[in-house]
Amino acid sequence: MDYMTLIQLLDSSVRLATPLLLACLAGLFSERAGIFDIGLEGKMLAAAFFSAALASVTGSVWLGLLAGIGASLMLSALHGVASITFRGNQLISGVAINFLAAGMTVLIAQDWFKQGGRTPSLTGDARFEGITLPGADAMANVPIIGPLYSELISGHSILVYMALAAVPLTWWLLYRTRFGLRLRAVGENPAAVDTAGVSVIGLRYAAVAICGILCGIAGAYLSTALQAGFVKDMSAGRGFIALAALIFAKWRPWYALWATLLFGLFGALETRPDVIEGVIGMKVQGQLLGALPYLMTVIILAGFVGKAIPPRAGGEPYVKER
Amino acid sequence: MANQAPAIELKGISKAFGPVQANKDISIRVMPGTIHGIIGENGAGKSTLMSILYGFYKADAGEIFIGGTKANITDSQAAIASGIGMVFQHFKLVENFTVLENIILGAEDGKLLKPSLAKARRTLIELANDYGLNVEPDALVQDIGVGMQQRVEILKALYRQADILILDEPTGVLTPAEADQLFRILGRLRSEGKTIILITHKLREIMETTDTVSVMRRGEMTATVKTSETSPAELAELMVGRKVLLRVDKKPATPGDVVLDVKNLKVKDEKGVERLRGIDLQVRAGEIVGIAGVAGNGQSELLEVLGGYQDGTGELRLNGQPLDLSGRHSDGQSRRARGVAHVPEDRQREGLIMNFHAWENTAFGYHHDAPYQKNAMLMDNAAIKADTAEKMERFDVRPPDPNLAAKNFSGGNQQKIVLAREIERNPDLLLIGQPTRGVDIGAIEFIHQQIVALRDQGKAILLVSVELEEILALSDRIAVMFDGQVMGERMPDQTDEKELGLLMAGITDTANAHSVEEIEENLAHAGGDAGKEV
Amino acid sequence: MDVMPKWAEVILVPFISLLLAAFISGLVVFAIADVPDSAITMMDRIGARLDFVWGAAKLMVNGALGSTYGWGYTLYYATNFMFTGLAVAIAFHARLFNIGGEGQAMLGGLGVAIACLYIPWPHWSVALIGAAAMAGLFGAVWAAIPAWLQVKRGSHIVITTIMFNFIAASLLNYLLVNLMRPKGSMDPATAHFREATNLPTLHDLLAPFGIAFSKSAPANVSLLVAIAACFALWLLIWRTRLGFEIRSYGESESGAKYAGISPFKITMIAMIISGALAGMMAINNVMGEAERLVLNATEGAGFIGIAVALMGRSHPLGVFIAAILFGFLYQGGAELALWTSIPRELIVVIQALVILFTGALDNMVRMPLERMFLALRRNKAAGAN
Amino acid sequence: EPALIFDLGGKFDKSFNEAAFNGAQRWAEETGGTFREIELQSEAQREQALRRFAEAGANPIITTGFAFATPVDAVAGDYPDTKFVNIDGWLPEIPANVQMISFQEHEGSYLVGMLAAQASKSGTIGFIGGMDIPLIRHFGCGYAQGAKAVNPDIKIVANMTGTTPSAWNDPVKGSELTKAQISQGADVVYAAAGGTGVGVLQTAADEDILSIGVDSNQNHLHPGKVLTSMLKRVDVAVYNAMKNGADGVTGSMVLGLAEEGVGYAMDDNNAPLVSDAMKASVEDARQKIIDGELEVVAYYANDSCPALDF
Ligand SMILES: Nc1ncnc2c1ncn2[C@@H]1O[C@H](COP(=O)(O)OP(=O)(O)OP(=O)(O)O)[C@@H](O)[C@H]1O
Ligand SMILES: Nc1ncnc2c1ncn2[C@@H]1O[C@H](COP(=O)(O)OP(=O)(O)OP(=O)(O)O)[C@@H](O)[C@H]1O
Ligand SMILES: [Mg+2]
Ligand SMILES: [Mg+2]
């Protein structure tokens, strides 16, 4: 494998990791606050549709992004009402949201655009284009770091940089601010937060809302940056992989980055059987190749990661009186 | 003093949880600068009343006055703003946060943590100096003992500048030394003009520390008296509604053959630290052997390894027959099959499944018993229910309903369910840990009677308790544990609390006087995490 | 002491929740209804839409429950969901979240295919036992590996079972495309199973009793196996020592340790039972319906099983009822799709609403009811005094 | 009244179900007739839909997708007066009232493979399939043969999107595969991947390489960027089946280049991309295939491909 191939592989990893990372951080906020969320998939999907739909109608990708976030927030609110206000089962609520998004996006898409559950293709300002960082072109020919900068670091859409920036931001928010302290506390022991005079409900809604925003960006990234429009079911299980990454990352922001990049790398490797062949010296059979990311995950998990302890109050509604 | 406004006045407080009337029209006045005690049976409504005062629950009816003005306490924030602090029966701490983080939680000074933490650190040093409340600011709460955790709770209240401090059963989990220190601190606080409400089941604590005391019964406030004008016997009667024996009535023991024989028993924890360092111990038939010791000196491990769910090395015999200390035949079920019954220290985490019905809990651990089986495949639930109803009747479990979930019984009644299960099995050896923790006087009396009755049937009993009083009252022989070893054995009528206290501190030379500092240093050396597993 | 009488809890709450779900679904249908061009005035248009909603509802109910034919399909789907729902439920009792029902069911299909293709069974009844055993075995193995990894290596069972779904899909794809496909066939599916392994349908089973049941519906003898499995699981959970231990472990790990219940044993056994149940779904869809193994034979039933178990509160009877409800939605939805131009995604939306209202928003219904019953009781008490 | 039953992909799969729908639409518009339709949700509904429509008197009943072959076979006998049509399927023995229509996708793919090889400057071309099933390998196999016929040294990079049905609807992965193929030098990619192909064509256009569409004419999606599309005239087949009505022919019908059942799309959008020489060579091959002078090996023939390894 030569250096350029490596760069391209990593470049692809970053693109594939970005929606996972955003969704993973979304889940992190929610679950750190004690609200399990298996509805990441549905929120992403809804956001993917609404951002593409609005971008297509208005021609502005930024309005699209807002619409995507708005749609994801609506589903978050539903999850909040079910699991915080009415203390419902968080898993069931998440399952329902996934179904709802899968059905509603196509129904509405068909109703609005009559293009078989798709949005029209986005062009021009209705899409996020890659950003060329300053000096990228000039540096392209410098050996080693040139391609690294111009190919791998530069050239992604703004949402990629937002996702990457979200990692330190999340870390800072979680570990350096009052809000983060309370958020972590409410996922571990809501009674402690309550008796300390802070609203458990308020905190949990805030966390769920942040989760909605991040899922919204993830969905918008899928349909307006990676793609130029919405196709039904286009989230293709990424919400569940993000959830796996979250457990993998033990609910920590930096680990989330590495975990999702690893999943991204697995995905990228799957697209390059020639590279795998070069490294291990034999051809990998097609279906085995498809299973490789998942097998690798199982092996890594069993071999190196060890036990992950979820937030202690996770999944349980906060009930004072019954 | 008479015309001073009361620090707290509750008027006509009522509160129902669904169909349960936890508080009925309760009124109470607490004067500033006093310690006010509240006693009552399990489930009498004490915690509920205090939680209402603290804004944790909302009262259905009634008014609250703080310092003479009506306060509208809608949530804990309002209570904190009114200068109220509360240490709950079950601590409200975030286990994997540091002490400092727990203290500032909800009382941060700004949006960023750093300045808050720095300020809290400074304040903690001041508070430590003022009240002797020493804590390690950067330790994780899950790594410190309960005594220290409680100090964190008190500091939390003081950090929020509470003038009124509510403590709900604060000594339930403390060692005598820790309890003494707590009361010294409470004395300091009172002398500074702070008002303290103390809920406890221990009449001795009421008598020694409070100025006034209120008694609650079945959701109602039945009496409020000056402590100096009452007696333990009177309080006990007010509380339970009948005369209560305040000491254990028992005949001298007539020990028989050796039932439990332990030699050189050693146990290591997951981290590889040796928690039992070679225990030699015998318990005979018809004898209660009490294990005294500061929590965290290996008593829990001793019970666990004898009960079969902790591996160990050494020699263990029951009625002369060897028992495995590790491997397949060293678990709770094989122990029970051999005639060992076990009332664990923590009834809610181990002894009971809180969501199981009482009848299921009666079968818990004994679900392989022949009388509980319908045939080779199925259990006989009807038989278990009938058996449970009978046991509940005999042990006066209230309410005597086998179909009620364990979590819906009060602590005392939960304990009775566990006891009924283990004692009624007619074991050769009963292991029993903290039999009366958090249990009200009436129930304590009953539990003690049962333990003695079992002894009188010629059974061997190994009792672990952090209550020295209980050890002295029940045991026929006392072994004192310190740092994973037995420091010595004493007969109860030939020793006293002082001597036992020295042994518990690892000082065998009990004849000579020892300074408090020496004892404390010794204790600190024994285990920084003393009391951790309670 | 419960606030509400038991009948209110088990019947009234779910019923009102279902009504709410139906109402919202009606609104959705209302919004996407076809309005004939003849309807001009506002009232006409609303009327036409209401007619449409009413017609759709009738179509669903009639189509799913109005004939033995409809029942035959409803019960066929319900059979799948019973198996996967029970699989998730038993794992839940041990506090294990088995998301791998899908993969386990796929492997079960493989087991059935191997049993039916390569063993010359003399009669369907023997074949059913053999195939069910193989299906259970394959599913169990596929669940046992994640269980083992969780206990011995600390891998989180949720992730591993998700991964095993994908791995199962790849494995099955490989086997069907490269190995088991009859030569020359373009369909990635096995050959047809032999006649002797074909299971009798409800039509065949009921005919001797003089009951005329639709011939063309796929519900088959597997339904009886599923019902038996519900009952067996109920016995297992609530009446046997093993079930007692599983529930104890699920409720409190520390308590189980005290009682001498081995976490390793319980985790392995619970997951093995769970995987076996999920795998046994294959006797219905693979052996009973398709009579060959096709790619994607499970069609997400493993995931529906999660919803079914959650809605059924992990109780076998609850699972049974929830499975029938989902069977109804599937078959009613199919009829709707047959006779109207409503996109099939509408059914997905209706499913979502049913899951949401009966499963997650149930307290929205329960809380006011509880207040009502409490007030009633207080009034009665006051009246008595 | 005819009926049309779509396969699990749904009628808007941007692929052959959609083509079938378009054919039916055209028939409805031209004749003013109506037709029944259903999108399946599960395997068990195949037989169900067939029976329900048959009982309701629909005739003919047209089904799309090879997976319908078996159910049609099972049902046809019970409704001797109804005519069943299946597209893409294959049966060893065809019941009297059944018509099985199949397409010679490998022949069409062969032609677009020739175009790809001629358009490629790098000597590397790509193929991206959806779910890894024999049918898709069949497409890829014809494509590879065509390319190799033009340039025996050409490198063909082939990938499948996945092994689950979501492989038909994962444009994101389609994009990533396209990029991976570009980085291996591919400058023409052929997508036979349903909704995933949307991502392939999009990325090819974004990255300024050429792509090839599939099933229907997708040249207009990115004018000037789509080299051509491999046409599979499912729409024509459905249109004709509906037009013939209940008494159309039965038996097996194979639509290849000769019948114009498959082909490659030329229109204004791609006219500048295909030179006259290219067109001439492809037309030549087309004629040879029709005349039987040139044989394109079908993947099914012995489940392997002479020109490409899967
Ligand atoms: N959160 C709650 N929900 C429902 N019922 C409750 C709740 N808390 C307490 N109760 C009920 O209210 C009554 C009073 O309980 P409370 O906790 O106040 O008793 P207590 O006097 O503190 O008992 P103990 O001495 O055991 O601590 C009990 O009968 C109990 O069943
Ligand atoms: N959320 C709740 N729902 C129902 N009953 C409750 C609830 N919380 C507490 N209770 C009941 O309230 C009573 C008193 O509760 P509390 O938490 O004070 O326990 P306790 O009796 O003091 O036991 P312990 O001393 O061991 O803590 C018990 O009967 C308990 O089961
Ligand atoms: Mg209490
Ligand atoms: Mg108590």
Side-chain angles (χ1 to χ4, degrees), chain C residues 19-44:
Chain C
L19 279 187
L20 279 173
F23 177 73
I24 307 283
S25 305
L27 286 185
V28 175
V29 179
F30 184 89
I32 61 165
D34 294 328
V35 184
D37 297 333
S38 58
I40 302 189
T41 68
M42 188 75 164
M43 285 318 287
D44 276 357

Side-chain angles (χ1 to χ4, degrees), chain A residues 320 322, chain B residues 17 20 22 42-48 57 89 169 201:
Chain A
K320 285 206 280 197
R322 271 169 239 213
Chain B
F17 292 111
V20 177
N42 293 119
K46 309 176 293 285
S47 300
T48 305
Y57 295 143
Q89 192 173 346
E169 286 189 39
H201 289 299

Side-chain angles (χ1 to χ4, degrees), chain A residues 17-18 34 44 56 62 73 97 143 174 316:
Chain A
T18 297
M44 253 186 349
S56 141
W62 289 101
L73 273 174
I97 283 170
L174 225 46
E316 299 289 335

